[in-house]
Amino acid sequence: MKQTSRSDRERTAGVDDGRPARRGGREPEGGSRSRRRLLLALGGVSTIAVAGCLGNGGGEADGDEDAGSEGGNEDGGGEGADGETLESHPVGVDLAEKPRLGPDPFDAPATLVVLDDPSCPRCAAYHQGTVAELRESHVAAGELSIVYRPYPVVYDWGERAAHALEATVERDPEAFWPLLGYYFDEQSSFTSDTVLERTASWLTAETDLDAAGIVADAREETFADRIETTLEAGSAAGAGGVTPVSYTFVDGVFQSPINGSASTTAIETALQL
Amino acid sequence: MGSRLPTGWRDVQVAARAVRLVLTRPAYATAAVVAAWASLTVFVLSGNIAMVRNLVVSGPLSPGDRLVLVREQYPFLGTNYGTLEGVAVLAVAALAGANLALVAYHLREHELSASEGGGSLVGVVLGVVGAGCAACGSALLVGVASLLGVSGLLLRFPFGGLELSALAVLALVVSTYWIAHGLRGGEVGGCPVDVGGRR
């Protein structure tokens, strides 16, 4: 610990009396060196923070170099909005077989491709708030296409749910939405051990689909290739471990990824709706 | 070491009094507000750097729309944060502002060692991580934590990363106490970490 003199203590004692002490007298020996050390430390740690935390999203515009890294680009996309189209963008791969709301995503004035995980709390908030509002307004007006890609990267049960969702889409794409809503509504009550059993019960009660077949496909991971394709697409697009991520396209041209449970206003603004 | 950490209500009062007295000066109050706002902005935008780059800094949007996108990233103005996460992020930003104002006061009025100021930086860094966590869920922690090799542990945080914001608050409170202690005695009296080379 640094030692201080009586005069130092006296000139700063005012704080304890209800008065901040004023600067006065000579600075103790070593004071300027300590200050320089502090400023250096501030600069160094700030640089590390910026590089480590902000740098996640600061990738190059041609950004595939992060693809496949364990952490990925946590900012949800190092790709720049340099005229890339939905056809050529990683999240556009196999898009036709994905569940969607609204018009054909390749012909729509605005398209939102959402990567989310059934077990992710902010995904639930996004689905129940922003997506619901967009569905009632812009999707209903035929000016927005929303495509969902199950992207299980959070909790274990989310991966099982994603397999069940893909098996459901295979049988009836329209049944995807209420099942996804069920996962989000009851999110806190699922575990890896219970999710498929409860999925079977819900499908039996709410749909005419072959619940046993869907759950069997989920257990055997029959559609694992679809999930793997989405995981690879997310990795190539820089999504990394972030959910939800919404990729925005206007007239088929890529605009930007938007991380998190963005507001309806933010999505409308990004899509120029 | 225990005596160097705030242990009672008296210690909290000392820290609170120091903050209050410094912030009664308009210049430092202004600095605190600016620092808090800047910290909050860094916290909330750090989770959407690509969007900022593609749509706020560049891209086809009007200036007004760019401001709308930035506004929508803040807690309670947009929807990126739940209530608890939003309060946590605001608390961290407010504490960071007050803390940095104290640091500025101490730098200008007294001397301050590097290790004493380090507590502020820990709080700010944790705030960045915690804010991103609150926005994007615990999945973000996997990426951040993978650098530390503990992703499996962090993934199972029961509050999905809110813990990091709590840690940031704790770090800032302790830092504020240390600085207040230093203001009171004109010395670096509170830091429990013995940095190599310090005497």
Side-chain angles (χ1 to χ4, degrees), chain B residues 33-169:
Chain B
V33 171
V34 170
W37 175 79
S39 300
L40 180 63
T41 301
V42 169
F43 295 165
V44 300
L45 294 185
S46 63
N48 254 313
I49 292 296
M51 185 208 71
V52 171
R53 185 177 64 239
N54 294 335
L55 298 178
V56 177
V57 176
S58 62
L61 300 179
S62 67
D65 283 344
R66 293 168 200 252
L67 288 177
V68 167
L69 279 180
V70 172
R71 181 195 70 196
E72 293 296 311
Q73 306 308 306
Y74 288 98
F76 305 113
L77 296 180
T79 56
N80 278 351
Y81 301 89
T83 303
L84 274 179
E85 293 91 345
V87 168
V89 170
L90 288 175
V92 171
L95 275 170
N99 193 278
L100 290 173
L102 276 183
V103 170
Y105 176 85
H106 209 157
L107 274 173
R108 286 179 58 84
E109 308 292 337
H110 307 286
E111 62 173 301
L112 178 66
S113 78
S115 58
E116 187 177 18
S120 308
L121 295 168
V122 170
V124 171
V125 171
L126 286 175
V128 171
V129 178
C133 235
C136 297
S138 57
L140 177 59
L141 281 173
V142 178
V144 175
S146 66
L147 301 174
L148 309 174
V150 290
S151 59
L153 175 66
L154 286 175
L155 185 61
R156 282 157 180 77
F157 272 6
F159 297 103
L162 198 60
E163 296 89 343
L164 285 183
S165 293
L167 278 176
V169 169

Side-chain angles (χ1 to χ4, degrees), chain A residues 1 12 21 57 75 241 259 261 263, chain B residues 49-50 53 72 110 139 191 199:
Chain A
M1 286 298 147
T12 54
D75 186 46
N259 287 349
S261 53
S263 68
Chain B
I49 292 296
R53 185 177 64 239
E72 293 296 311
H110 307 286
C191 179
R199 298 182 59 187

Side-chain angles (χ1 to χ4, degrees), chain B residues 1 6-7 17 25 48 64 66 70 75 82 84 98 108 118 131 149 169 177 180 187 195-196:
Chain B
M1 177 167 172
T7 55
R17 185 182 300 130
R25 295 184 173 196
N48 254 313
R66 293 168 200 252
V70 172
L84 274 179
R108 286 179 58 84
V169 169
Y177 170 74
E187 60 178 318
V195 178

